[in-house]
């Protein structure tokens, strides 16, 4: 049994405001989901371009190292960062409760 059966029933203006508020919230949620979906799509589509650019940058670094005689600095820094990331990942993974 609803409370408004005993007391006053909500007016038309109140019910219309509640209806408009619900639909506004649904529209806002749909807009946020579409925006997030668009961001995810752009990032996923850009991934092959980023991979290609990284491959070309690594090739350019190796070419420059062979021409100048200076060792490839990026690969040294990159390998150290990778080792640090792996160590952190395994530390976090082994410390996590099962």
């Amino acid at each position: 049994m609803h409370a408004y059966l005993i007391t006053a029933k909500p007016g038309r203006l109140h019910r219309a405001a509640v209806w408009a508020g619900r639909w506004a919230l649904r529209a806002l949620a749909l807009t946020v989901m579409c925006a997030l979906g668009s961001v995810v799509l752009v990032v996923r589509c850009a991934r092959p371009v980023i991979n290609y650019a990284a491959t070309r940058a690594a090739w350019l670094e190796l070419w420059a190292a062979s021409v100048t005689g200076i060792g490839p600095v990026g690969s040294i820094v990159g390998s150290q960062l990778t080792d640090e990331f792996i160590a952190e990942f395994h530390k976090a993974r082994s410390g996590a409760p099962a």
Side-chain angles (χ1 to χ4, degrees):
M1 183 173 215
H2 293 288
Y4 61 75
L5 292 176
I6 299 167
T7 60
K9 192 174 183 182
R12 284 186 181 172
L13 188 60
H14 183 265
R15 285 184 292 173
V18 169
W19 180 85
R22 282 186 187 147
W23 278 102
L25 186 63
R26 288 176 183 168
L28 179 66
L30 181 65
T31 303
V32 168
M33 285 188 282
C34 287
L36 289 174
S38 300
V39 169
V40 168
L41 180 66
V42 167
V43 168
R44 283 182 160 256
C45 290
R47 210 166 148 204
V49 175
I50 293 169
N51 286 344
Y52 176 76
T55 303
R56 296 306 284 172
W59 178 84
L60 182 64
E61 183 188 15
L62 290 175
W63 173 81
S66 68
V67 169
T68 60
I70 302 171
V73 179
S75 63
I76 296 168
V77 172
S79 66
Q80 289 173 349
L81 285 174
T82 303
D83 292 341
E84 186 63 31
F85 176 76
I86 289 171
E88 250 337 282
F89 177 72
H90 285 300
K91 188 189 312 177
R93 200 169 162 202
S94 63

